[in-house]
Amino acid sequence: SGNVACHLSIALKNSRFEISQIFSRNLITSEKLASKIGCDFTNEIEKVQEYDLAISCVKDDEIQKIVSQFRKRPIVHTSGSSGLSVFKKHKKLTGIVYPLQTFNKNTEININEVPFFIVSNNKIFKKDLKKIFLRISSKTKIISENRLKRIHLAAVFACNFSTEMY
């Protein structure tokens, strides 16, 4: 129910995807986001409903913990610094959908201008993810995991350099 989750949920909803539920440790923010989307919410892992795709929008140090709890169906995370290795025990379809954008809940963005990079070890799943995210952004591309790491490092360097110059 954080910054990335808010923007992605709204973009998916506006692209006519059905969001069945928001899961977050924070019940207040999950309820607030769910009311915007018009879906159910929970902060209890046992109460997560069936789903076609889970999108994990959590901090990098939380990805492994969340992924291990969502082994039922396909799942992706949105981190540029965590690779596919976080899914090593996951037997289902997995991947990364990395938006090259800093998100803030309170700042409007034109999500169609945001580049989304898709990474997965499954060719069909990659193509399915691309179809989904092309409905959100025309700048969606399938890339390799190594290229994603280079893009993420360049983005971090550019951000840190800009901050230092300021």
Side-chain angles (χ1 to χ4, degrees):
S1 57
N3 294 319
V4 175
C6 283
H7 282 281
L8 275 184
S9 297
I10 291 167
L12 287 164
K13 175 79 173 173
N14 290 342
S15 297
R16 296 197 169 89
F17 286 99
E18 180 185 342
I19 313 258
S20 59
Q21 189 177 46
I22 303 292
F23 167 78
S24 174
R25 291 174 299 172
N26 185 324
L27 193 60
I28 294 167
T29 59
S30 65
E31 181 179 17
K32 189 175 180 179
L33 179 56
S35 70
K36 286 182 185 177
I37 303 302
C39 68
D40 191 22
F41 63 94
T42 187
N43 67 342
E44 299 176 51
I45 193 75
E46 313 80 49
K47 293 187 178 179
V48 170
Q49 301 169 358
E50 285 298 314
Y51 54 87
D52 295 320
L53 174 66
I55 302 174
S56 173
C57 306
V58 298
K59 294 179 180 176
D60 294 347
D61 58 350
E62 293 288 321
I63 293 173
Q64 187 71 57
K65 181 178 169 185
I66 292 296
V67 164
S68 69
Q69 296 176 333
F70 282 80
R71 292 194 188 155
K72 296 178 188 176
R73 310 287 302 264
I75 184 169
V76 297
H77 69 70
T78 58
S79 171
S81 63
S82 295
L84 293 171
S85 63
V86 298
F87 299 116
K88 62 184 167 221
K89 294 181 181 177
H90 206 285
K91 301 294 184 212
K92 298 287 180 186
L93 301 172
T94 59
I96 302 166
V97 177
Y98 176 62
L100 187 61
Q101 171 77 37
T102 300
F103 291 95
N104 181 311
K105 289 183 204 181
N106 304 315
T107 304
E108 295 240 359
I109 61 166
N110 180 355
I111 202 144
N112 191 51
E113 294 297 316
V114 175
F116 281 88
F117 298 107
I118 309 290
V119 177
S120 177
N121 287 333
N122 183 292
K123 290 179 184 180
I124 295 170
F125 188 54
K126 260 191 275 205
K127 289 178 183 178
D128 290 342
L129 289 171
K130 184 176 181 183
K131 286 179 192 172
I132 292 168
F133 282 86
L134 275 171
R135 287 175 56 182
I136 294 172
S137 172
S138 59
K139 296 183 178 189
T140 298
K141 304 228 182 296
I142 294 173
I143 62 172
S144 70
E145 187 173 9
N146 285 334
R147 184 160 180 225
L148 176 63
K149 288 177 185 177
R150 290 192 309 271
I151 289 168
H152 178 71
L153 285 173
V156 169
F157 175 77
C159 182
N160 290 340
F161 181 76
S162 297
T163 302
E164 288 296 318
M165 291 301 291
Y166 179 71

